[in-house]
Amino acid sequence: MPQPIASTNDFVVKFANVNGSGSASANLLFAKSILRMGVPVATRNIFPSNIQGLPTWYEVRVSAAGHLGRRGGVDLMVAMNPQTWAQDIASIDPGGYLFYDSTKPMPPSKFRDDITVIGMPLTEICNKAYADPRQRQLFKNIIYIGALAALLGIDAAAIEQLIGEQYKGKEKLFGPNRDALHMGHDYATQRLKPISLKVARADAVGDRVFIDGNSAAALGAVYGGATVAAWYPITPSTSMAEAFQRYCRRYRVDPATRKNRYAIIQGEDELASVGIVIGAAWNGARAFTCTSGPGLSLMQEFLGLAYFAEIPAVLFDVQRAGPSTGMPTRTQQADILAAAYASHGDTKHVLLFPEDPYECFELGALAFDLADRLQTPVFVMLDLDIGMNEWLTKPFQWDDGHRLDRGKVMTAADLDAGKEFGRYLDVDGDGIPYRTYPGTHPSKGAYFTRGTSRDRYARYTEEGAAYVDNMQRLLRKFETAKKLVPAAVRTPAKQPAKAGVIYFGSTAAAMRESLAALEGQGIHLDALRLRGFPFGTEVIEFIAAHEQVFVVEQNRDAQLRTLLMTEGGIDPAKLVPVLHYDGTPITGRFITGAISSLLRAVKPLREVAS
């Protein structure tokens, strides 16, 4: 039998609960209490798409080193769901711990010989303390948090303080929750044996904030000047619209008149929502919608109109597992091609790839400048892992001197001065024409906005030469976009490397951990994190500088790899896919194992060739 795992500030706790049991707030208290002790945590909420009754899991990774990706494996399983007992037990690493409700005796066959079992009669304790069935269920969660605090050395006062903040002004709720916490803490202190997993006070959190990506993106939209949001509820993007509404109530209300200076509209469907956004943006407002893959599919027709009529719009795509309904509450990076080439015909769209909530805020704000500057839809490609999970991230920063970039807008003064206006006229070779806002001038600068072919002055025509002229100009604009989207971030290996790795988005946290692990195995890789599409020259140069490049992404069909081959003219043999798509966030262990296995597989071939 392996020795029990012994670790301080470096382990994974996983809670297995039933959806709708009230466990979510208790498990979050557990995670935040460790943060209050100055120790970084990374949390992942894995929940079903129904309202109540199915299994749900919540992972808390305690990491003194500050690793924010999923590690993989479980050191301490808090098993509160009989339905998932077998798989929960199987997921514990050898030498790990099982904490469970021991009110009903269980046969030895239900356990493993290589783990430490900690039983606590939670149901029995609750039945004695509470008469109301709902109270029994809710306080059971707080009682096991108190017991875990005692076992792990978490300061119960930190949890009590968090409960006080949660129920501020609701003293009738604070007292019973505090009592349940101490009930569990006292039981564990007096009756349970100590374990070798510990939380020790540290100073490794600093001034970082704990926030989900959807909230961060919504705040970025506010700072980016958005005043209009149109959306249709869809998991996992709904919380972004709700967060934007909260922020607008705080920051978008006129202090003198108390009138709202924003409009938030729930459309009858996703197509209507993006149509509202395009109409508002055409009229000069900064507008956005938030959606996920199925919504993006419904928006295709209007996205083609916005691309061809050259109307700015921002779309936040919080990706989930597809196709069709797929797994609505599971994460993937599987909308890359659908967004890059959205709509029929020849289209190419700008994509931004934030890696964490900080970049959700930063790129969320930037997207509105890019959309106005380029007069085109811009997609911010989140995923469920970033969007709905809370991440520890550095405080958001904003330059108060920043001025919104509205791009090429011709004013009434410009028109009166005799400047030539052609809505689709490229005057300086960057592919971006001037536009006017509706009502700019009583007699000049008007044009007809259409989705059909036209000439440089917005006059309808189906002449082939005029159509080709317009389509070629749109390509020039896309070339201009390469200089405006955020450049890729390169991380060189500590030793010269013949191989490289490309990754993006929420994969970044696990990738950084994997790079360190691979280095420990003597495998050195140069790394490149993509932040935007179209790809800049630094991306193509990175690929050219290496014999092979691994492309790590969370989808089945290697969509980013396909985009690199298509847009960069890259030899497919040079790009090696590393794919993870089971709906759970990718782990450092998975990436490390996949890359090391692939390298072992090709090494004998190289030796034979030499």
Side-chain angles (χ1 to χ4, degrees):
M1 177 177 175
Q3 288 293 316
I5 297 171
S7 183
T8 298
N9 293 350
D10 188 11
F11 54 87
V12 174
V13 180
K14 189 171 184 177
F15 298 84
N17 299 100
V18 177
N19 199 36
S21 64
S23 60
S25 60
N27 297 342
L28 183 59
L29 280 174
F30 175 83
K32 287 185 174 181
S33 67
I34 298 173
L35 285 174
R36 288 288 173 92
M37 292 184 68
V39 182
V41 299
T43 63
R44 297 296 188 278
N45 190 14
I46 303 169
F47 59 99
S49 57
N50 76 332
I51 296 174
Q52 188 168 332
L54 287 182
T56 182
W57 293 269
Y58 187 76
E59 286 186 8
V60 179
R61 181 181 186 181
V62 183
S63 175
H67 295 307
L68 299 180
R70 259 185 98 221
R71 189 199 69 182
V74 179
D75 300 309
L76 169 58
M77 171 62 70
V78 182
M80 294 293 139
N81 187 355
Q83 292 179 334
T84 61
W85 178 269
Q87 68 186 90
D88 293 335
I89 299 298
S91 68
I92 304 171
D93 284 355
Y97 302 84
L98 167 69
F99 180 94
Y100 80 108
D101 182 355
S102 61
T103 300
K104 291 183 178 180
M106 299 185 69
S109 60
K110 291 289 187 179
F111 302 99
R112 281 169 46 189
D113 294 334
D114 60 348
I115 62 175
T116 299
V117 178
I118 308 162
M120 181 174 172
L122 292 164
T123 300
E124 179 184 325
I125 293 170
C126 290
N127 288 347
K128 289 180 180 179
Y130 308 104
D132 180 77
R134 185 58 177 165
Q135 282 189 328
R136 288 174 176 175
Q137 177 58 61
L138 294 176
F139 288 125
K140 178 180 177 179
N141 301 319
I142 301 298
I143 289 171
Y144 73 60
I145 295 299
L148 292 174
L151 290 170
L152 298 171
I154 300 172
D155 188 353
I159 305 178
E160 188 173 319
Q161 182 183 16
L162 287 163
I163 294 174
E165 293 171 6
Q166 181 175 338
Y167 296 115
K168 186 177 181 180
K170 301 177 181 178
E171 295 302 320
K172 289 183 179 180
L173 295 175
F174 169 69
N177 277 276
R178 177 198 56 205
D179 294 343
L181 173 73
H182 287 288
M183 193 184 304
H185 192 277
D186 293 345
Y187 184 98
T189 302
Q190 297 164 13
R191 304 192 187 190
L192 299 181
K193 294 180 180 180
I195 65 174
S196 300
L197 300 178
K198 295 296 177 185
V199 177
R201 281 199 172 273
D203 188 19
V205 174
D207 62 352
R208 286 183 288 179
V209 296
F210 197 50
I211 189 172
D212 64 274
N214 281 352
S215 295
L219 189 60
V222 172
Y223 275 77
T227 56
V228 176
W231 64 293
Y232 185 79
I234 182 172
T235 302
S237 70
T238 295
S239 62
M240 182 184 170
E242 294 168 343
F244 183 71
Q245 185 174 44
R246 291 196 305 271
Y247 293 134
C248 282
R249 286 172 178 168
R250 184 171 180 179
Y251 300 115
R252 287 273 188 271
V253 176
D254 188 281
T257 66
R258 305 308 301 167
K259 290 184 177 180
N260 294 340
R261 300 172 64 181
Y262 63 91
I264 301 175
I265 304 166
Q266 180 179 322
E268 61 265 35
D269 55 28
E270 286 88 353
L271 182 60
S273 299
V274 76
I276 293 167
V277 167
I278 293 167
W282 173 85
N283 209 38
R286 287 198 156 184
F288 75 91
T289 189
C290 48
T291 191
S292 192
L296 182 63
S297 296
L298 288 170
M299 295 177 181
Q300 298 289 305
E301 183 177 359
F302 264 141
L303 289 171
L305 171 65
Y307 173 80
F308 200 49
E310 298 180 66
I311 301 170
V314 174
L315 296 93
F316 291 87
D317 180 8
V318 191
Q319 300 168 87
R320 72 189 208 189
S324 188
T325 306
M327 296 190 290
T329 58
R330 298 293 188 263
T331 194
Q332 277 190 5
Q333 297 172 316
D335 296 349
I336 305 305
L337 292 176
Y341 302 122
S343 195
H344 58 276
D346 294 322
T347 59
K348 291 186 180 184
H349 299 291
V350 174
L351 313 182
L352 303 178
F353 304 122
E355 68 163 341
D356 60 11
Y358 180 88
E359 285 197 345
C360 289
F361 170 79
E362 179 184 49
L363 301 186
L366 174 65
F368 293 91
D369 276 354
L370 289 177
D372 270 354
R373 179 81 177 271
L374 293 165
Q375 300 175 27
T376 197
V378 172
F379 296 76
V380 185
M381 306 297 291
L382 292 76
D383 59 40
L384 184 145
D385 186 23
I386 296 179
M388 294 195 71
N389 287 315
E390 291 179 294
W391 291 58
L392 195 61
T393 187
K394 61 184 179 180
F396 303 151
Q397 296 179 346
W398 184 256
D399 179 7
D400 288 334
H402 176 79
R403 293 294 176 264
L404 303 183
D405 183 354
R406 300 311 303 261
K408 294 181 177 179
V409 179
M410 197 166 286
T411 66
D414 293 330
L415 294 166
D416 283 334
K419 285 191 176 181
E420 182 182 13
F421 176 71
R423 176 61 187 95
Y424 302 106
L425 177 67
D426 184 4
V427 297
D428 51 17
D430 65 359
I432 306 171
Y434 276 86
R435 61 175 172 146
T436 57
Y437 296 138
T440 293
H441 195 282
S443 60
K444 301 175 183 178
Y447 62 94
F448 192 91
T449 303
R450 64 177 81 245
T452 48
S453 181
R454 67 275 164 160
D455 66 13
R456 296 177 180 182
Y457 297 89
R459 296 174 300 211
Y460 169 75
T461 178
E462 294 186 19
E463 290 293 328
Y467 173 79
V468 170
D469 176 69
N470 197 48
M471 295 298 286
Q472 287 299 116
R473 181 183 55 75
L474 289 170
L475 277 183
R476 291 199 301 275
K477 182 164 72 170
F478 201 67
E479 286 296 313
T480 299
K482 292 180 179 180
K483 303 169 187 175
L484 300 177
V485 300
V489 178
R490 179 168 181 162
T491 304
K494 293 182 179 179
Q495 297 183 13
K498 294 182 179 180
V501 60
I502 288 176
Y503 59 101
F504 68 104
S506 65
T507 304
M511 189 70 243
R512 278 192 286 271
E513 186 176 358
S514 176
L515 288 169
L518 289 166
E519 184 182 312
Q521 298 179 17
I523 299 172
H524 299 275
L525 298 174
D526 293 326
L528 191 73
R529 178 171 69 88
L530 303 186
R531 300 183 71 209
F533 171 76
F535 306 125
T537 56
E538 76 280 1
V539 178
I540 309 305
E541 290 170 354
F542 178 87
I543 297 172
H546 296 88
E547 292 182 2
Q548 63 181 165
V549 176
F550 298 98
V551 183
V552 181
E553 50 188 312
Q554 299 183 71
N555 59 70
R556 185 195 70 180
D557 292 343
Q559 294 187 24
L560 179 66
R561 177 175 177 265
T562 299
L563 200 59
L564 287 165
M565 292 187 301
T566 301
E567 296 296 328
I570 308 299
D571 179 3
K574 199 167 191 177
L575 300 178
V576 182
V578 176
L579 307 175
H580 181 278
Y581 52 93
D582 68 359
T584 62
I586 197 168
T587 67
R589 287 183 178 182
F590 174 86
I591 299 172
T592 302
I595 291 179
S596 58
S597 295
L598 287 166
L599 286 172
R600 283 196 301 270
V602 300
K603 187 175 181 181
L605 295 176
R606 287 181 177 175
E607 290 175 347
V608 169
S610 61

